[in-house]
Amino acid sequence: MNNDNNEIIMLVKRAGSGDNDAFEKLVLKYENFIYNLICQMTGNDQDAYDISQEVFIKVYRAIKNFRFDCKFSTWLYKITANAVKDYFREKQKHRTVSLSDWTEEDESESGFAANKPPEIIEEDINSRPEEAYERGEIREAVRDAILHLSEDHKVIITLRDMEGYSYDDISDMLGIEIGTVKSRLNRARLAVKDYLLKRNFIEY
């Protein structure tokens, strides 16, 4: 992990000095993360692609001003979040319907793993066709459930369960306490689970 962080720091410094090769390596390292995050937030593959391009244009123009007062991923997330907000403004602020009525941030931090919805499983090439089909249906249902979450919950579950970022990293990216990260993640997972239960993809 430290070696990876050192590599990122080196690439950012080089890119900030005008090294296009270093910037390209940063793009390759983060493009899937940025695209997947935007895709989950907008629900539109083409818009996610367009916004991703805009994000990296902004990063290219601003990277020389990055001062390492936060993690590069945090800085990158903030640029992405602002780009998505601009997108929604241009779309006349279409409001997504939340799958829950939760609004409070402070709740017990226990039981998070127990309430985690089924993982998005890639098909095994050796599995039976009907099993692969069912997995594909569940994966699409999970993605659809995430799309209908509130923005806060959508971002949390995408960063943690789909991108694998640690609680510390997410706390740093979003500027919130770790307890709040866990609280929102728990609610998001429960909402996804409820969505799947109501559509008979999983059982009680």
Side-chain angles (χ1 to χ4, degrees), residues 102-129:
W102 295 311
T103 56
E104 295 298 324
E105 294 303 336
D106 297 322
E107 66 176 24
S108 172
E109 296 180 16
S110 63
F112 296 103
N115 292 313
K116 186 175 180 179
E119 296 281 348
I120 299 176
I121 305 171
E122 295 297 329
E123 287 103 345
D124 183 347
I125 192 170
N126 295 316
S127 63
R128 292 183 298 173

PDB file of all heavy atoms in Angstrom, residues 102-129:
ATOM      1  N   TRP A 102     -34.834   7.189   5.958  1.00  0.00           N
ATOM      2  CA  TRP A 102     -33.828   7.508   6.957  1.00  0.00           C
ATOM      3  C   TRP A 102     -33.235   8.882   6.716  1.00  0.00           C
ATOM      4  O   TRP A 102     -32.902   9.224   5.603  1.00  0.00           O
ATOM      5  CB  TRP A 102     -32.701   6.478   6.914  1.00  0.00           C
ATOM      6  CG  TRP A 102     -33.144   5.115   7.295  1.00  0.00           C
ATOM      7  CD1 TRP A 102     -33.871   4.750   8.388  1.00  0.00           C
ATOM      8  CD2 TRP A 102     -32.901   3.909   6.565  1.00  0.00           C
ATOM      9  NE1 TRP A 102     -34.081   3.399   8.379  1.00  0.00           N
ATOM     10  CE2 TRP A 102     -33.506   2.857   7.289  1.00  0.00           C
ATOM     11  CE3 TRP A 102     -32.215   3.618   5.390  1.00  0.00           C
ATOM     12  CZ2 TRP A 102     -33.440   1.546   6.870  1.00  0.00           C
ATOM     13  CZ3 TRP A 102     -32.156   2.321   4.966  1.00  0.00           C
ATOM     14  CH2 TRP A 102     -32.766   1.293   5.700  1.00  0.00           C
ATOM     15  N   THR A 103     -33.105   9.643   7.810  1.00  0.00           N
ATOM     16  CA  THR A 103     -32.487  10.959   7.704  1.00  0.00           C
ATOM     17  C   THR A 103     -31.458  11.190   8.800  1.00  0.00           C
ATOM     18  O   THR A 103     -30.555  11.998   8.643  1.00  0.00           O
ATOM     19  CB  THR A 103     -33.541  12.078   7.795  1.00  0.00           C
ATOM     20  OG1 THR A 103     -34.281  11.922   9.009  1.00  0.00           O
ATOM     21  CG2 THR A 103     -34.474  12.014   6.601  1.00  0.00           C
ATOM     22  N   GLU A 104     -31.594  10.514   9.944  1.00  0.00           N
ATOM     23  CA  GLU A 104     -30.674  10.740  11.039  1.00  0.00           C
ATOM     24  C   GLU A 104     -29.312  10.122  10.746  1.00  0.00           C
ATOM     25  O   GLU A 104     -29.213   9.047  10.188  1.00  0.00           O
ATOM     26  CB  GLU A 104     -31.226  10.138  12.347  1.00  0.00           C
ATOM     27  CG  GLU A 104     -32.510  10.816  12.831  1.00  0.00           C
ATOM     28  CD  GLU A 104     -32.285  12.282  13.146  1.00  0.00           C
ATOM     29  OE1 GLU A 104     -31.199  12.610  13.641  1.00  0.00           O
ATOM     30  OE2 GLU A 104     -33.182  13.080  12.900  1.00  0.00           O
ATOM     31  N   GLU A 105     -28.256  10.807  11.194  1.00  0.00           N
ATOM     32  CA  GLU A 105     -26.907  10.323  10.940  1.00  0.00           C
ATOM     33  C   GLU A 105     -26.365   9.481  12.083  1.00  0.00           C
ATOM     34  O   GLU A 105     -25.467   8.676  11.900  1.00  0.00           O
ATOM     35  CB  GLU A 105     -25.957  11.513  10.705  1.00  0.00           C
ATOM     36  CG  GLU A 105     -26.273  12.291   9.459  1.00  0.00           C
ATOM     37  CD  GLU A 105     -26.248  11.421   8.222  1.00  0.00           C
ATOM     38  OE1 GLU A 105     -25.580  10.375   8.217  1.00  0.00           O
ATOM     39  OE2 GLU A 105     -26.920  11.785   7.255  1.00  0.00           O
ATOM     40  N   ASP A 106     -26.875   9.697  13.307  1.00  0.00           N
ATOM     41  CA  ASP A 106     -26.313   9.017  14.463  1.00  0.00           C
ATOM     42  C   ASP A 106     -27.141   7.804  14.815  1.00  0.00           C
ATOM     43  O   ASP A 106     -28.287   7.919  15.233  1.00  0.00           O
ATOM     44  CB  ASP A 106     -26.266   9.968  15.681  1.00  0.00           C
ATOM     45  CG  ASP A 106     -25.349  11.133  15.411  1.00  0.00           C
ATOM     46  OD1 ASP A 106     -24.312  10.908  14.780  1.00  0.00           O
ATOM     47  OD2 ASP A 106     -25.682  12.252  15.824  1.00  0.00           O
ATOM     48  N   GLU A 107     -26.575   6.633  14.630  1.00  0.00           N
ATOM     49  CA  GLU A 107     -27.233   5.408  15.044  1.00  0.00           C
ATOM     50  C   GLU A 107     -26.171   4.407  15.427  1.00  0.00           C
ATOM     51  O   GLU A 107     -24.982   4.629  15.245  1.00  0.00           O
ATOM     52  CB  GLU A 107     -28.127   4.857  13.926  1.00  0.00           C
ATOM     53  CG  GLU A 107     -27.359   4.402  12.712  1.00  0.00           C
ATOM     54  CD  GLU A 107     -28.266   3.784  11.664  1.00  0.00           C
ATOM     55  OE1 GLU A 107     -29.450   4.081  11.647  1.00  0.00           O
ATOM     56  OE2 GLU A 107     -27.743   2.999  10.859  1.00  0.00           O
ATOM     57  N   SER A 108     -26.573   3.286  15.949  1.00  0.00           N
ATOM     58  CA  SER A 108     -25.613   2.270  16.363  1.00  0.00           C
ATOM     59  C   SER A 108     -24.761   1.829  15.193  1.00  0.00           C
ATOM     60  O   SER A 108     -25.233   1.704  14.074  1.00  0.00           O
ATOM     61  CB  SER A 108     -26.358   1.064  16.939  1.00  0.00           C
ATOM     62  OG  SER A 108     -25.469   0.001  17.164  1.00  0.00           O
ATOM     63  N   GLU A 109     -23.476   1.566  15.463  1.00  0.00           N
ATOM     64  CA  GLU A 109     -22.566   1.127  14.420  1.00  0.00           C
ATOM     65  C   GLU A 109     -22.469  -0.396  14.364  1.00  0.00           C
ATOM     66  O   GLU A 109     -21.649  -0.944  13.653  1.00  0.00           O
ATOM     67  CB  GLU A 109     -21.170   1.707  14.664  1.00  0.00           C
ATOM     68  CG  GLU A 109     -21.141   3.220  14.573  1.00  0.00           C
ATOM     69  CD  GLU A 109     -19.748   3.762  14.829  1.00  0.00           C
ATOM     70  OE1 GLU A 109     -18.798   2.974  14.768  1.00  0.00           O
ATOM     71  OE2 GLU A 109     -19.625   4.963  15.103  1.00  0.00           O
ATOM     72  N   SER A 110     -23.311  -1.092  15.130  1.00  0.00           N
ATOM     73  CA  SER A 110     -23.216  -2.548  15.163  1.00  0.00           C
ATOM     74  C   SER A 110     -24.028  -3.175  14.058  1.00  0.00           C
ATOM     75  O   SER A 110     -25.010  -2.614  13.579  1.00  0.00           O
ATOM     76  CB  SER A 110     -23.725  -3.066  16.512  1.00  0.00           C
ATOM     77  OG  SER A 110     -25.090  -2.740  16.674  1.00  0.00           O
ATOM     78  N   GLY A 111     -23.611  -4.372  13.660  1.00  0.00           N
ATOM     79  CA  GLY A 111     -24.413  -5.175  12.741  1.00  0.00           C
ATOM     80  C   GLY A 111     -24.304  -4.805  11.292  1.00  0.00           C
ATOM     81  O   GLY A 111     -25.148  -5.195  10.495  1.00  0.00           O
ATOM     82  N   PHE A 112     -23.288  -4.107  10.890  1.00  0.00           N
ATOM     83  CA  PHE A 112     -23.197  -3.674   9.499  1.00  0.00           C
ATOM     84  C   PHE A 112     -22.997  -4.850   8.553  1.00  0.00           C
ATOM     85  O   PHE A 112     -23.692  -4.976   7.563  1.00  0.00           O
ATOM     86  CB  PHE A 112     -22.059  -2.666   9.330  1.00  0.00           C
ATOM     87  CG  PHE A 112     -22.298  -1.398  10.089  1.00  0.00           C
ATOM     88  CD1 PHE A 112     -21.647  -1.152  11.285  1.00  0.00           C
ATOM     89  CD2 PHE A 112     -23.214  -0.473   9.625  1.00  0.00           C
ATOM     90  CE1 PHE A 112     -21.895   0.013  11.987  1.00  0.00           C
ATOM     91  CE2 PHE A 112     -23.450   0.702  10.327  1.00  0.00           C
ATOM     92  CZ  PHE A 112     -22.794   0.933  11.514  1.00  0.00           C
ATOM     93  N   ALA A 113     -22.038  -5.708   8.870  1.00  0.00           N
ATOM     94  CA  ALA A 113     -21.747  -6.821   7.968  1.00  0.00           C
ATOM     95  C   ALA A 113     -22.924  -7.773   7.837  1.00  0.00           C
ATOM     96  O   ALA A 113     -23.190  -8.317   6.778  1.00  0.00           O
ATOM     97  CB  ALA A 113     -20.512  -7.581   8.461  1.00  0.00           C
ATOM     98  N   ALA A 114     -23.676  -7.955   8.934  1.00  0.00           N
ATOM     99  CA  ALA A 114     -24.804  -8.888   8.908  1.00  0.00           C
ATOM    100  C   ALA A 114     -25.896  -8.432   7.960  1.00  0.00           C
ATOM    101  O   ALA A 114     -26.673  -9.238   7.443  1.00  0.00           O
ATOM    102  CB  ALA A 114     -25.374  -9.038  10.322  1.00  0.00           C
ATOM    103  N   ASN A 115     -25.980  -7.103   7.729  1.00  0.00           N
ATOM    104  CA  ASN A 115     -27.036  -6.570   6.886  1.00  0.00           C
ATOM    105  C   ASN A 115     -26.585  -6.307   5.459  1.00  0.00           C
ATOM    106  O   ASN A 115     -27.309  -5.702   4.681  1.00  0.00           O
ATOM    107  CB  ASN A 115     -27.562  -5.255   7.494  1.00  0.00           C
ATOM    108  CG  ASN A 115     -28.284  -5.493   8.791  1.00  0.00           C
ATOM    109  OD1 ASN A 115     -29.125  -6.384   8.884  1.00  0.00           O
ATOM    110  ND2 ASN A 115     -27.969  -4.706   9.809  1.00  0.00           N
ATOM    111  N   LYS A 116     -25.386  -6.749   5.116  1.00  0.00           N
ATOM    112  CA  LYS A 116     -24.851  -6.489   3.792  1.00  0.00           C
ATOM    113  C   LYS A 116     -25.609  -7.305   2.745  1.00  0.00           C
ATOM    114  O   LYS A 116     -25.824  -8.496   2.909  1.00  0.00           O
ATOM    115  CB  LYS A 116     -23.360  -6.855   3.749  1.00  0.00           C
ATOM    116  CG  LYS A 116     -22.689  -6.489   2.436  1.00  0.00           C
ATOM    117  CD  LYS A 116     -21.205  -6.774   2.512  1.00  0.00           C
ATOM    118  CE  LYS A 116     -20.512  -6.419   1.208  1.00  0.00           C
ATOM    119  NZ  LYS A 116     -19.063  -6.667   1.255  1.00  0.00           N
ATOM    120  N   PRO A 117     -26.050  -6.669   1.643  1.00  0.00           N
ATOM    121  CA  PRO A 117     -26.776  -7.396   0.602  1.00  0.00           C
ATOM    122  C   PRO A 117     -25.854  -8.313  -0.166  1.00  0.00           C
ATOM    123  O   PRO A 117     -24.633  -8.243  -0.030  1.00  0.00           O
ATOM    124  CB  PRO A 117     -27.293  -6.268  -0.301  1.00  0.00           C
ATOM    125  CG  PRO A 117     -26.299  -5.180  -0.112  1.00  0.00           C
ATOM    126  CD  PRO A 117     -25.874  -5.256   1.323  1.00  0.00           C
ATOM    127  N   PRO A 118     -26.395  -9.186  -0.992  1.00  0.00           N
ATOM    128  CA  PRO A 118     -25.562 -10.104  -1.759  1.00  0.00           C
ATOM    129  C   PRO A 118     -24.542  -9.357  -2.603  1.00  0.00           C
ATOM    130  O   PRO A 118     -24.810  -8.293  -3.138  1.00  0.00           O
ATOM    131  CB  PRO A 118     -26.583 -10.830  -2.658  1.00  0.00           C
ATOM    132  CG  PRO A 118     -27.875 -10.697  -1.951  1.00  0.00           C
ATOM    133  CD  PRO A 118     -27.832  -9.376  -1.250  1.00  0.00           C
ATOM    134  N   GLU A 119     -23.344  -9.925  -2.696  1.00  0.00           N
ATOM    135  CA  GLU A 119     -22.305  -9.335  -3.522  1.00  0.00           C
ATOM    136  C   GLU A 119     -22.705  -9.379  -4.994  1.00  0.00           C
ATOM    137  O   GLU A 119     -23.483 -10.228  -5.414  1.00  0.00           O
ATOM    138  CB  GLU A 119     -21.002 -10.128  -3.352  1.00  0.00           C
ATOM    139  CG  GLU A 119     -20.434 -10.083  -1.942  1.00  0.00           C
ATOM    140  CD  GLU A 119     -19.692  -8.801  -1.665  1.00  0.00           C
ATOM    141  OE1 GLU A 119     -19.417  -8.060  -2.621  1.00  0.00           O
ATOM    142  OE2 GLU A 119     -19.400  -8.542  -0.486  1.00  0.00           O
ATOM    143  N   ILE A 120     -22.165  -8.436  -5.764  1.00  0.00           N
ATOM    144  CA  ILE A 120     -22.346  -8.491  -7.210  1.00  0.00           C
ATOM    145  C   ILE A 120     -21.340  -9.497  -7.746  1.00  0.00           C
ATOM    146  O   ILE A 120     -20.147  -9.241  -7.777  1.00  0.00           O
ATOM    147  CB  ILE A 120     -22.116  -7.106  -7.840  1.00  0.00           C
ATOM    148  CG1 ILE A 120     -23.129  -6.123  -7.258  1.00  0.00           C
ATOM    149  CG2 ILE A 120     -22.226  -7.174  -9.351  1.00  0.00           C
ATOM    150  CD1 ILE A 120     -22.934  -4.714  -7.739  1.00  0.00           C
ATOM    151  N   ILE A 121     -21.825 -10.665  -8.143  1.00  0.00           N
ATOM    152  CA  ILE A 121     -20.962 -11.797  -8.476  1.00  0.00           C
ATOM    153  C   ILE A 121     -20.769 -11.904  -9.975  1.00  0.00           C
ATOM    154  O   ILE A 121     -21.729 -11.886 -10.737  1.00  0.00           O
ATOM    155  CB  ILE A 121     -21.568 -13.119  -7.946  1.00  0.00           C
ATOM    156  CG1 ILE A 121     -21.832 -12.998  -6.439  1.00  0.00           C
ATOM    157  CG2 ILE A 121     -20.653 -14.293  -8.255  1.00  0.00           C
ATOM    158  CD1 ILE A 121     -22.609 -14.165  -5.881  1.00  0.00           C
ATOM    159  N   GLU A 122     -19.508 -12.023 -10.385  1.00  0.00           N
ATOM    160  CA  GLU A 122     -19.225 -12.254 -11.791  1.00  0.00           C
ATOM    161  C   GLU A 122     -19.519 -13.705 -12.133  1.00  0.00           C
ATOM    162  O   GLU A 122     -19.284 -14.604 -11.340  1.00  0.00           O
ATOM    163  CB  GLU A 122     -17.748 -11.953 -12.087  1.00  0.00           C
ATOM    164  CG  GLU A 122     -17.384 -10.494 -11.893  1.00  0.00           C
ATOM    165  CD  GLU A 122     -18.125  -9.580 -12.853  1.00  0.00           C
ATOM    166  OE1 GLU A 122     -18.422 -10.024 -13.970  1.00  0.00           O
ATOM    167  OE2 GLU A 122     -18.411  -8.438 -12.480  1.00  0.00           O
ATOM    168  N   GLU A 123     -20.045 -13.938 -13.329  1.00  0.00           N
ATOM    169  CA  GLU A 123     -20.367 -15.297 -13.720  1.00  0.00           C
ATOM    170  C   GLU A 123     -19.125 -16.163 -13.840  1.00  0.00           C
ATOM    171  O   GLU A 123     -18.112 -15.744 -14.373  1.00  0.00           O
ATOM    172  CB  GLU A 123     -21.100 -15.323 -15.074  1.00  0.00           C
ATOM    173  CG  GLU A 123     -22.521 -14.826 -14.992  1.00  0.00           C
ATOM    174  CD  GLU A 123     -22.662 -13.422 -15.530  1.00  0.00           C
ATOM    175  OE1 GLU A 123     -21.609 -12.769 -15.685  1.00  0.00           O
ATOM    176  OE2 GLU A 123     -23.785 -12.992 -15.783  1.00  0.00           O
ATOM    177  N   ASP A 124     -19.232 -17.380 -13.318  1.00  0.00           N
ATOM    178  CA  ASP A 124     -18.187 -18.376 -13.482  1.00  0.00           C
ATOM    179  C   ASP A 124     -18.375 -19.025 -14.842  1.00  0.00           C
ATOM    180  O   ASP A 124     -19.470 -19.456 -15.187  1.00  0.00           O
ATOM    181  CB  ASP A 124     -18.309 -19.422 -12.354  1.00  0.00           C
ATOM    182  CG  ASP A 124     -17.207 -20.466 -12.419  1.00  0.00           C
ATOM    183  OD1 ASP A 124     -16.504 -20.540 -13.457  1.00  0.00           O
ATOM    184  OD2 ASP A 124     -17.073 -21.213 -11.438  1.00  0.00           O
ATOM    185  N   ILE A 125     -17.306 -19.118 -15.605  1.00  0.00           N
ATOM    186  CA  ILE A 125     -17.405 -19.652 -16.949  1.00  0.00           C
ATOM    187  C   ILE A 125     -17.877 -21.104 -16.943  1.00  0.00           C
ATOM    188  O   ILE A 125     -18.429 -21.605 -17.911  1.00  0.00           O
ATOM    189  CB  ILE A 125     -16.042 -19.533 -17.671  1.00  0.00           C
ATOM    190  CG1 ILE A 125     -16.204 -19.801 -19.161  1.00  0.00           C
ATOM    191  CG2 ILE A 125     -15.017 -20.501 -17.073  1.00  0.00           C
ATOM    192  CD1 ILE A 125     -14.966 -19.471 -19.973  1.00  0.00           C
ATOM    193  N   ASN A 126     -17.681 -21.778 -15.788  1.00  0.00           N
ATOM    194  CA  ASN A 126     -18.071 -23.182 -15.699  1.00  0.00           C
ATOM    195  C   ASN A 126     -19.459 -23.382 -15.100  1.00  0.00           C
ATOM    196  O   ASN A 126     -19.927 -24.505 -14.960  1.00  0.00           O
ATOM    197  CB  ASN A 126     -17.047 -23.954 -14.837  1.00  0.00           C
ATOM    198  CG  ASN A 126     -15.680 -23.982 -15.489  1.00  0.00           C
ATOM    199  OD1 ASN A 126     -15.577 -24.208 -16.687  1.00  0.00           O
ATOM    200  ND2 ASN A 126     -14.635 -23.741 -14.711  1.00  0.00           N
ATOM    201  N   SER A 127     -20.128 -22.307 -14.698  1.00  0.00           N
ATOM    202  CA  SER A 127     -21.432 -22.461 -14.076  1.00  0.00           C
ATOM    203  C   SER A 127     -22.488 -22.772 -15.119  1.00  0.00           C
ATOM    204  O   SER A 127     -22.337 -22.497 -16.299  1.00  0.00           O
ATOM    205  CB  SER A 127     -21.807 -21.168 -13.330  1.00  0.00           C
ATOM    206  OG  SER A 127     -21.920 -20.104 -14.235  1.00  0.00           O
ATOM    207  N   ARG A 128     -23.597 -23.332 -14.648  1.00  0.00           N
ATOM    208  CA  ARG A 128     -24.680 -23.667 -15.565  1.00  0.00           C
ATOM    209  C   ARG A 128     -25.315 -22.389 -16.102  1.00  0.00           C
ATOM    210  O   ARG A 128     -25.390 -21.393 -15.395  1.00  0.00           O
ATOM    211  CB  ARG A 128     -25.722 -24.516 -14.840  1.00  0.00           C
ATOM    212  CG  ARG A 128     -25.219 -25.908 -14.472  1.00  0.00           C
ATOM    213  CD  ARG A 128     -26.312 -26.720 -13.825  1.00  0.00           C
ATOM    214  NE  ARG A 128     -26.766 -26.099 -12.587  1.00  0.00           N
ATOM    215  CZ  ARG A 128     -27.814 -26.541 -11.878  1.00  0.00           C
ATOM    216  NH1 ARG A 128     -28.503 -27.583 -12.295  1.00  0.00           N
ATOM    217  NH2 ARG A 128     -28.166 -25.941 -10.771  1.00  0.00           N
ATOM    218  N   PRO A 129     -25.807 -22.393 -17.340  1.00  0.00           N
ATOM    219  CA  PRO A 129     -26.372 -21.177 -17.946  1.00  0.00           C
ATOM    220  C   PRO A 129     -27.476 -20.551 -17.107  1.00  0.00           C
ATOM    221  O   PRO A 129     -27.531 -19.330 -16.967  1.00  0.00           O
ATOM    222  CB  PRO A 129     -26.900 -21.679 -19.292  1.00  0.00           C
ATOM    223  CG  PRO A 129     -26.066 -22.867 -19.601  1.00  0.00           C
ATOM    224  CD  PRO A 129     -25.777 -23.516 -18.285  1.00  0.00           C
TER     225      PRO A 129
END
